[in-house]
Amino acid sequence: MEWKLTSPVDKKALAPLRAGDRVLLSGPVYTARDAAHKRLTELLDRGEPLPFPLEGSVIYYVGPTPEAPGQGIGSAGPTTSGRMDAYSPRLLDLGQPVMIGKGLRNRAVQEAIVRNGAVYLAAMGGAGALMGGCVRSARLVCWEDLGCEAVRLLEVEDLPLVVAIDSQGGNIYESGPAAYLNSLKGDN
Amino acid sequence: MIRSIPAAAVTRAVAELCVKANRELPPDIVQALKQAAREEPWPTAQGTLSVLVENLSAARERCLPICQDTGLACVFIQLGQDVHIEGDLARAVDQGVRQGYEEGYLRKSVVADPLRRGNTGDNTPAALTVDLVPGDRLRLTVVPKGFGSENMSALKMLKPADGVEGVRRFVLDTVRAAGSNPCPPIILGVGIGGTFDKVALLAKHALLRPIDRPHPDPYYAALERELLEAVNGLGIGPQGFGGRTTALGVNIETMPTHVAGLPVAVNVSCHVTRRASVEI
């Protein structure tokens, strides 16, 4: 299945998505990776307001390359999501509906996805030049001192993604390889 | 005869190689990726590989880095014994990285301290390895190494009794544990032998050899083929979504070791395995 999804995201739109489905996402997307997640968590610990709302927001684990003159952004593919596992369940419980990254998540994240009706979408790792082409504009939100790890607001159009973990707990990193290996048994 | 090379020439060369390596993959990797896209039997995996090939054209046409993780600049120098560098070689290399990453709009991904962090802002320092060789030439290779794959690398001190079976098991366990994280299809640099420190460097050196050039020793060339086939039987597939093409190549480098030891290191690299060289 292929779905069109727009942000800010209403969780009702996430319910029919299944692991392995393709998604084209358009709308605002916040970038945050390791250092930004640490700071978000520190703000929550101190009871201070966050620099952007979690409700409805899509967070993309990406540290883009700097834009050359005339470009909206440089290369902008996903980073490994597992490094955000320590922070994600808390953000999901506070209303964040969508994470974009690549690679495996731990059990706590998977359970938080199901508990909250969220989804984890995978972008194409290493296809940064193509994905950068889907970004219409980018502006700094906060934490410029973090360099490539600063929080930016991207306006994306038809960003191509795959549902990696759906709101029912379906997981493409388990079901995909299993289906392929099963198909080999059929050949014999 | 001693030949003099000004440090500024090294700086210029490093800067150019940083930009080139990040925009254009070496021909052997491009070839392997295209071949995998043609031969992959699983439809979703085939689609994924085609997108990765398309990304290479997008990077070239739009003068963009292939991947946003433009890496930590690993710089290898084969320095002829009859070369005199006018100036400070390590500083010249760092200056080249600084210039290349600025001029090429590459991402600065280096922190000054492993625990206290803090981005250095110019992607320096480089990880510099210098080997002294005969002659009066200087050969420079820049390998921008991304950490999605670097983080999945592993090293183990096996027992001699573990033998080739132990090496095979360790390589497969490492790839299985890495799963989708290192952006498969991956390329593996495998070091066997030496000491704790040397085996890691061997694994990194293995990534410098084109993947269409097998190990010169037929025993290890056969082991490279066998490991590649075993890795591609795991089912992980491109991006970890399932399929045959989990790896594009396995390169092995070896050296003598102690009677009591069998060190093995696996340096995992992604489909964006970059390297660019020049001789001065």
Side-chain angles (χ1 to χ4, degrees):
Chain A
M1 282 288 283
E2 182 162 302
W3 306 86
K4 288 248 184 190
L5 190 64
T6 38
S7 61
V9 172
D10 181 343
K11 279 184 183 168
K12 282 202 268 309
L14 303 179
L17 271 53
R18 288 294 168 266
D21 286 355
R22 290 186 305 278
V23 171
L24 292 172
L25 175 75
S26 299
V29 167
Y30 292 94
T31 74
R33 37 177 295 155
D34 311 51
H37 273 77
K38 186 159 184 273
R39 288 194 185 175
L40 288 172
T41 301
E42 286 164 358
L43 288 175
L44 289 172
D45 285 345
R46 293 199 300 266
E48 290 173 23
L50 300 183
F52 61 90
L54 289 174
E55 197 75 38
S57 288
V58 176
I59 296 184
Y60 184 12
Y61 307 143
V62 58
T65 60
E67 66 279 9
Q71 289 175 344
I73 202 167
S75 279
T79 194
T80 309
S81 308
R83 295 193 315 273
M84 269 51 79
D85 283 356
Y87 311 108
S88 292
R90 189 174 184 183
L91 301 182
L92 295 181
D93 286 341
L94 289 170
Q96 180 196 341
V98 179
M99 304 167 281
I100 304 174
K102 56 132 175 141
L104 311 170
R105 309 306 302 261
N106 68 11
R107 183 172 295 275
V109 175
Q110 176 132 344
E111 285 169 2
I113 288 171
V114 174
R115 180 165 71 235
N116 291 292
V119 294
Y120 166 45
L121 304 176
M124 188 76 76
L130 274 185
M131 314 210 69
C134 301
V135 178
R136 294 289 156 259
S137 66
R139 73 169 175 82
L140 181 77
V141 175
C142 61
W143 301 329
E144 193 170 13
D145 62 298
L146 295 180
C148 64
E149 293 199 78
V151 173
R152 291 179 176 82
L153 180 60
L154 311 182
E155 196 67 40
V156 304
E157 191 178 327
D158 289 339
L159 187 68
L161 304 163
V162 170
V163 180
I165 303 179
D166 63 39
S167 57
Q168 308 292 304
N171 186 332
I172 187 67
Y173 297 121
E174 291 162 8
S175 59
Y180 166 71
L181 291 173
N182 263 329
S183 78
L184 297 184
K185 283 179 198 155
D187 290 346
N188 292 336
Chain B
M1 270 294 283
I2 296 294
R3 180 168 162 254
S4 276
I5 298 178
V10 173
T11 294
R12 202 56 245 151
V14 168
E16 283 166 12
L17 292 176
C18 286
V19 178
K20 180 171 185 249
N22 270 297
R23 288 185 189 165
E24 264 178 72
L25 284 187
D28 58 297
I29 311 272
V30 177
Q31 222 25 59
L33 204 52
K34 286 183 176 168
Q35 189 178 336
R38 280 195 304 272
E39 294 175 359
E40 169 65 51
W42 192 239
T44 46
Q46 204 278 330
T48 301
L49 291 167
S50 303
V51 172
L52 298 182
V53 172
E54 204 185 316
N55 182 59
L56 298 181
S57 319
R60 204 174 40 244
E61 283 157 20
R62 300 177 53 216
C63 291
L64 278 174
I66 299 159
C67 174
Q68 77 291 334
D69 186 351
T70 52
L72 191 151
C74 299
V75 177
F76 295 85
I77 294 181
Q78 287 186 314
L79 182 63
Q81 291 170 121
D82 299 331
V83 172
H84 168 69
I85 303 287
E86 295 168 32
D88 184 322
L89 180 60
R91 281 179 63 180
V93 167
D94 281 345
Q95 184 58 20
V97 169
R98 194 173 287 124
Q99 282 179 14
Y101 275 70
E102 194 56 37
E103 292 164 4
Y105 297 94
L106 306 178
R107 199 182 79 182
K108 289 81 181 172
S109 314
V110 175
V111 293
D113 183 280
L115 289 177
R116 291 168 293 183
R117 316 301 288 180
N119 198 305
T120 60
D122 59 8
N123 219 52
T124 68
L128 175 61
T129 307
V130 182
D131 286 318
L132 270 183
V133 296
D136 66 354
R137 315 295 291 177
L138 184 154
R139 188 173 169 79
L140 256 176
T141 302
V142 174
V143 178
K145 187 65 171 74
F147 258 54
S149 56
E150 191 78 353
N151 279 338
M152 297 297 116
S153 305
L155 189 157
K156 195 167 185 187
M157 305 302 281
L158 299 179
K159 295 179 182 70
D162 294 327
V164 68
E165 191 43 52
V167 171
R168 188 181 294 125
R169 201 178 317 120
F170 181 62
V171 170
L172 292 180
D173 285 350
T174 301
V175 174
R176 219 180 270 118
S180 54
N181 288 2
C183 293
I186 54 177
I187 290 158
L188 297 174
V190 180
I192 310 174
T195 52
F196 180 77
D197 54 326
K198 292 289 184 193
V199 77
L201 199 54
L202 278 178
K204 177 76 79 216
H205 269 287
L207 293 174
L208 301 183
R209 171 154 49 91
I211 54 175
D212 56 6
R213 201 196 307 156
H215 196 286
D217 179 339
Y219 175 81
Y220 285 107
L223 186 56
E224 288 176 344
R225 278 196 306 276
E226 189 191 319
L227 286 173
L228 179 60
E229 200 171 315
V231 165
N232 284 338
L234 293 176
I236 296 167
Q239 300 287 318
F241 297 155
R244 183 169 73 190
T245 315
T246 300
L248 296 174
V250 177
N251 283 356
I252 298 173
E253 293 294 332
T254 68
M255 69 188 291
T257 188
H258 191 277
V259 286
L262 177 52
V264 55
V266 180
N267 198 183
V268 181
S269 194
C270 59
H271 58 89
V272 188
T273 291
R274 296 158 288 201
R275 53 180 132 77
S277 301
V278 74
E279 199 171 88
I280 303 177

PDB file of all heavy atoms in Angstrom, chain B residues 179-202:
ATOM      1  N   GLY B 179      22.347  -5.840  11.674  1.00  0.00           N
ATOM      2  CA  GLY B 179      21.032  -5.798  11.039  1.00  0.00           C
ATOM      3  C   GLY B 179      20.898  -4.651  10.054  1.00  0.00           C
ATOM      4  O   GLY B 179      21.737  -4.464   9.173  1.00  0.00           O
ATOM      5  N   SER B 180      19.852  -3.844  10.237  1.00  0.00           N
ATOM      6  CA  SER B 180      19.567  -2.754   9.310  1.00  0.00           C
ATOM      7  C   SER B 180      20.373  -1.494   9.630  1.00  0.00           C
ATOM      8  O   SER B 180      20.408  -0.565   8.828  1.00  0.00           O
ATOM      9  CB  SER B 180      18.078  -2.423   9.392  1.00  0.00           C
ATOM     10  OG  SER B 180      17.727  -2.161  10.746  1.00  0.00           O
ATOM     11  N   ASN B 181      21.023  -1.445  10.791  1.00  0.00           N
ATOM     12  CA  ASN B 181      21.659  -0.190  11.227  1.00  0.00           C
ATOM     13  C   ASN B 181      22.731   0.386  10.301  1.00  0.00           C
ATOM     14  O   ASN B 181      22.797   1.604  10.145  1.00  0.00           O
ATOM     15  CB  ASN B 181      22.242  -0.365  12.635  1.00  0.00           C
ATOM     16  CG  ASN B 181      21.149  -0.429  13.682  1.00  0.00           C
ATOM     17  OD1 ASN B 181      19.965  -0.386  13.355  1.00  0.00           O
ATOM     18  ND2 ASN B 181      21.517  -0.525  14.943  1.00  0.00           N
ATOM     19  N   PRO B 182      23.618  -0.441   9.731  1.00  0.00           N
ATOM     20  CA  PRO B 182      24.710   0.149   8.937  1.00  0.00           C
ATOM     21  C   PRO B 182      24.346   0.444   7.487  1.00  0.00           C
ATOM     22  O   PRO B 182      25.241   0.571   6.659  1.00  0.00           O
ATOM     23  CB  PRO B 182      25.799  -0.928   9.016  1.00  0.00           C
ATOM     24  CG  PRO B 182      25.054  -2.206   9.150  1.00  0.00           C
ATOM     25  CD  PRO B 182      23.779  -1.901   9.884  1.00  0.00           C
ATOM     26  N   CYS B 183      23.037   0.583   7.169  1.00  0.00           N
ATOM     27  CA  CYS B 183      22.591   0.869   5.803  1.00  0.00           C
ATOM     28  C   CYS B 183      23.052  -0.192   4.810  1.00  0.00           C
ATOM     29  O   CYS B 183      23.812   0.104   3.883  1.00  0.00           O
ATOM     30  CB  CYS B 183      23.075   2.243   5.330  1.00  0.00           C
ATOM     31  SG  CYS B 183      22.341   3.599   6.207  1.00  0.00           S
ATOM     32  N   PRO B 184      22.595  -1.448   4.961  1.00  0.00           N
ATOM     33  CA  PRO B 184      22.937  -2.438   3.947  1.00  0.00           C
ATOM     34  C   PRO B 184      22.358  -2.055   2.585  1.00  0.00           C
ATOM     35  O   PRO B 184      21.327  -1.390   2.555  1.00  0.00           O
ATOM     36  CB  PRO B 184      22.299  -3.731   4.486  1.00  0.00           C
ATOM     37  CG  PRO B 184      21.401  -3.343   5.617  1.00  0.00           C
ATOM     38  CD  PRO B 184      21.754  -1.957   6.046  1.00  0.00           C
ATOM     39  N   PRO B 185      23.002  -2.456   1.476  1.00  0.00           N
ATOM     40  CA  PRO B 185      24.096  -3.424   1.406  1.00  0.00           C
ATOM     41  C   PRO B 185      25.418  -2.857   1.931  1.00  0.00           C
ATOM     42  O   PRO B 185      25.791  -1.735   1.589  1.00  0.00           O
ATOM     43  CB  PRO B 185      24.192  -3.759  -0.079  1.00  0.00           C
ATOM     44  CG  PRO B 185      23.589  -2.601  -0.791  1.00  0.00           C
ATOM     45  CD  PRO B 185      22.535  -2.072   0.109  1.00  0.00           C
ATOM     46  N   ILE B 186      26.082  -3.690   2.733  1.00  0.00           N
ATOM     47  CA  ILE B 186      27.317  -3.264   3.380  1.00  0.00           C
ATOM     48  C   ILE B 186      28.542  -3.815   2.653  1.00  0.00           C
ATOM     49  O   ILE B 186      28.421  -4.658   1.759  1.00  0.00           O
ATOM     50  CB  ILE B 186      27.348  -3.739   4.854  1.00  0.00           C
ATOM     51  CG1 ILE B 186      27.109  -5.250   4.947  1.00  0.00           C
ATOM     52  CG2 ILE B 186      26.334  -2.976   5.682  1.00  0.00           C
ATOM     53  CD1 ILE B 186      27.182  -5.825   6.353  1.00  0.00           C
ATOM     54  N   ILE B 187      29.693  -3.315   3.079  1.00  0.00           N
ATOM     55  CA  ILE B 187      30.978  -3.848   2.639  1.00  0.00           C
ATOM     56  C   ILE B 187      31.757  -4.136   3.911  1.00  0.00           C
ATOM     57  O   ILE B 187      31.753  -3.307   4.841  1.00  0.00           O
ATOM     58  CB  ILE B 187      31.691  -2.841   1.725  1.00  0.00           C
ATOM     59  CG1 ILE B 187      30.918  -2.761   0.397  1.00  0.00           C
ATOM     60  CG2 ILE B 187      33.145  -3.245   1.485  1.00  0.00           C
ATOM     61  CD1 ILE B 187      31.139  -1.517  -0.376  1.00  0.00           C
ATOM     62  N   LEU B 188      32.384  -5.317   3.973  1.00  0.00           N
ATOM     63  CA  LEU B 188      33.084  -5.702   5.191  1.00  0.00           C
ATOM     64  C   LEU B 188      34.583  -5.694   4.973  1.00  0.00           C
ATOM     65  O   LEU B 188      35.081  -6.292   4.009  1.00  0.00           O
ATOM     66  CB  LEU B 188      32.652  -7.105   5.631  1.00  0.00           C
ATOM     67  CG  LEU B 188      31.176  -7.272   6.004  1.00  0.00           C
ATOM     68  CD1 LEU B 188      30.872  -8.741   6.280  1.00  0.00           C
ATOM     69  CD2 LEU B 188      30.838  -6.434   7.230  1.00  0.00           C
ATOM     70  N   GLY B 189      35.298  -5.020   5.870  1.00  0.00           N
ATOM     71  CA  GLY B 189      36.744  -5.129   5.924  1.00  0.00           C
ATOM     72  C   GLY B 189      37.076  -6.031   7.101  1.00  0.00           C
ATOM     73  O   GLY B 189      36.709  -5.721   8.235  1.00  0.00           O
ATOM     74  N   VAL B 190      37.721  -7.161   6.820  1.00  0.00           N
ATOM     75  CA  VAL B 190      38.009  -8.126   7.880  1.00  0.00           C
ATOM     76  C   VAL B 190      39.519  -8.212   8.080  1.00  0.00           C
ATOM     77  O   VAL B 190      40.264  -8.471   7.124  1.00  0.00           O
ATOM     78  CB  VAL B 190      37.448  -9.526   7.532  1.00  0.00           C
ATOM     79  CG1 VAL B 190      37.759 -10.526   8.641  1.00  0.00           C
ATOM     80  CG2 VAL B 190      35.947  -9.448   7.290  1.00  0.00           C
ATOM     81  N   GLY B 191      39.973  -7.970   9.308  1.00  0.00           N
ATOM     82  CA  GLY B 191      41.375  -8.140   9.650  1.00  0.00           C
ATOM     83  C   GLY B 191      41.541  -9.428  10.434  1.00  0.00           C
ATOM     84  O   GLY B 191      40.722  -9.734  11.301  1.00  0.00           O
ATOM     85  N   ILE B 192      42.572 -10.192  10.114  1.00  0.00           N
ATOM     86  CA  ILE B 192      42.852 -11.433  10.853  1.00  0.00           C
ATOM     87  C   ILE B 192      44.347 -11.468  11.159  1.00  0.00           C
ATOM     88  O   ILE B 192      45.169 -11.315  10.250  1.00  0.00           O
ATOM     89  CB  ILE B 192      42.471 -12.692  10.040  1.00  0.00           C
ATOM     90  CG1 ILE B 192      41.041 -12.587   9.470  1.00  0.00           C
ATOM     91  CG2 ILE B 192      42.604 -13.946  10.899  1.00  0.00           C
ATOM     92  CD1 ILE B 192      40.662 -13.739   8.532  1.00  0.00           C
ATOM     93  N   GLY B 193      44.689 -11.648  12.443  1.00  0.00           N
ATOM     94  CA  GLY B 193      46.090 -11.760  12.833  1.00  0.00           C
ATOM     95  C   GLY B 193      46.620 -10.495  13.489  1.00  0.00           C
ATOM     96  O   GLY B 193      45.866  -9.603  13.864  1.00  0.00           O
ATOM     97  N   GLY B 194      47.952 -10.437  13.641  1.00  0.00           N
ATOM     98  CA  GLY B 194      48.584  -9.272  14.249  1.00  0.00           C
ATOM     99  C   GLY B 194      48.361  -9.217  15.745  1.00  0.00           C
ATOM    100  O   GLY B 194      48.357 -10.244  16.431  1.00  0.00           O
ATOM    101  N   THR B 195      48.128  -8.003  16.253  1.00  0.00           N
ATOM    102  CA  THR B 195      47.877  -7.764  17.675  1.00  0.00           C
ATOM    103  C   THR B 195      46.533  -7.055  17.816  1.00  0.00           C
ATOM    104  O   THR B 195      45.886  -6.746  16.828  1.00  0.00           O
ATOM    105  CB  THR B 195      48.970  -6.841  18.247  1.00  0.00           C
ATOM    106  OG1 THR B 195      49.054  -5.692  17.399  1.00  0.00           O
ATOM    107  CG2 THR B 195      50.323  -7.536  18.305  1.00  0.00           C
ATOM    108  N   PHE B 196      46.149  -6.766  19.046  1.00  0.00           N
ATOM    109  CA  PHE B 196      44.871  -6.094  19.326  1.00  0.00           C
ATOM    110  C   PHE B 196      44.713  -4.818  18.494  1.00  0.00           C
ATOM    111  O   PHE B 196      43.669  -4.578  17.892  1.00  0.00           O
ATOM    112  CB  PHE B 196      44.816  -5.776  20.821  1.00  0.00           C
ATOM    113  CG  PHE B 196      43.560  -5.094  21.251  1.00  0.00           C
ATOM    114  CD1 PHE B 196      42.387  -5.812  21.405  1.00  0.00           C
ATOM    115  CD2 PHE B 196      43.546  -3.729  21.506  1.00  0.00           C
ATOM    116  CE1 PHE B 196      41.220  -5.185  21.807  1.00  0.00           C
ATOM    117  CE2 PHE B 196      42.384  -3.091  21.908  1.00  0.00           C
ATOM    118  CZ  PHE B 196      41.217  -3.824  22.055  1.00  0.00           C
ATOM    119  N   ASP B 197      45.775  -3.999  18.452  1.00  0.00           N
ATOM    120  CA  ASP B 197      45.692  -2.728  17.719  1.00  0.00           C
ATOM    121  C   ASP B 197      45.838  -2.931  16.215  1.00  0.00           C
ATOM    122  O   ASP B 197      45.121  -2.345  15.410  1.00  0.00           O
ATOM    123  CB  ASP B 197      46.732  -1.734  18.231  1.00  0.00           C
ATOM    124  CG  ASP B 197      48.140  -2.308  18.219  1.00  0.00           C
ATOM    125  OD1 ASP B 197      48.283  -3.529  18.446  1.00  0.00           O
ATOM    126  OD2 ASP B 197      49.097  -1.554  17.984  1.00  0.00           O
ATOM    127  N   LYS B 198      46.757  -3.806  15.814  1.00  0.00           N
ATOM    128  CA  LYS B 198      47.033  -3.974  14.377  1.00  0.00           C
ATOM    129  C   LYS B 198      45.844  -4.594  13.635  1.00  0.00           C
ATOM    130  O   LYS B 198      45.606  -4.298  12.471  1.00  0.00           O
ATOM    131  CB  LYS B 198      48.265  -4.855  14.159  1.00  0.00           C
ATOM    132  CG  LYS B 198      49.577  -4.218  14.601  1.00  0.00           C
ATOM    133  CD  LYS B 198      49.992  -3.089  13.689  1.00  0.00           C
ATOM    134  CE  LYS B 198      51.351  -2.530  14.102  1.00  0.00           C
ATOM    135  NZ  LYS B 198      51.642  -1.253  13.439  1.00  0.00           N
ATOM    136  N   VAL B 199      45.092  -5.452  14.322  1.00  0.00           N
ATOM    137  CA  VAL B 199      44.018  -6.148  13.611  1.00  0.00           C
ATOM    138  C   VAL B 199      42.895  -5.176  13.227  1.00  0.00           C
ATOM    139  O   VAL B 199      42.262  -5.317  12.175  1.00  0.00           O
ATOM    140  CB  VAL B 199      43.494  -7.362  14.426  1.00  0.00           C
ATOM    141  CG1 VAL B 199      42.577  -6.957  15.565  1.00  0.00           C
ATOM    142  CG2 VAL B 199      42.775  -8.338  13.507  1.00  0.00           C
ATOM    143  N   ALA B 200      42.690  -4.160  14.064  1.00  0.00           N
ATOM    144  CA  ALA B 200      41.674  -3.147  13.729  1.00  0.00           C
ATOM    145  C   ALA B 200      42.111  -2.346  12.509  1.00  0.00           C
ATOM    146  O   ALA B 200      41.313  -2.055  11.609  1.00  0.00           O
ATOM    147  CB  ALA B 200      41.446  -2.221  14.923  1.00  0.00           C
ATOM    148  N   LEU B 201      43.397  -2.019  12.472  1.00  0.00           N
ATOM    149  CA  LEU B 201      43.921  -1.259  11.338  1.00  0.00           C
ATOM    150  C   LEU B 201      43.876  -2.102  10.051  1.00  0.00           C
ATOM    151  O   LEU B 201      43.591  -1.579   8.970  1.00  0.00           O
ATOM    152  CB  LEU B 201      45.354  -0.817  11.652  1.00  0.00           C
ATOM    153  CG  LEU B 201      45.908   0.335  10.822  1.00  0.00           C
ATOM    154  CD1 LEU B 201      45.002   1.558  10.858  1.00  0.00           C
ATOM    155  CD2 LEU B 201      47.315   0.712  11.303  1.00  0.00           C
ATOM    156  N   LEU B 202      44.137  -3.407  10.196  1.00  0.00           N
ATOM    157  CA  LEU B 202      44.037  -4.309   9.042  1.00  0.00           C
ATOM    158  C   LEU B 202      42.630  -4.272   8.456  1.00  0.00           C
ATOM    159  O   LEU B 202      42.451  -4.234   7.239  1.00  0.00           O
ATOM    160  CB  LEU B 202      44.342  -5.753   9.467  1.00  0.00           C
ATOM    161  CG  LEU B 202      45.790  -6.211   9.599  1.00  0.00           C
ATOM    162  CD1 LEU B 202      45.800  -7.672  10.078  1.00  0.00           C
ATOM    163  CD2 LEU B 202      46.534  -6.096   8.275  1.00  0.00           C
TER     164      LEU B 202
END
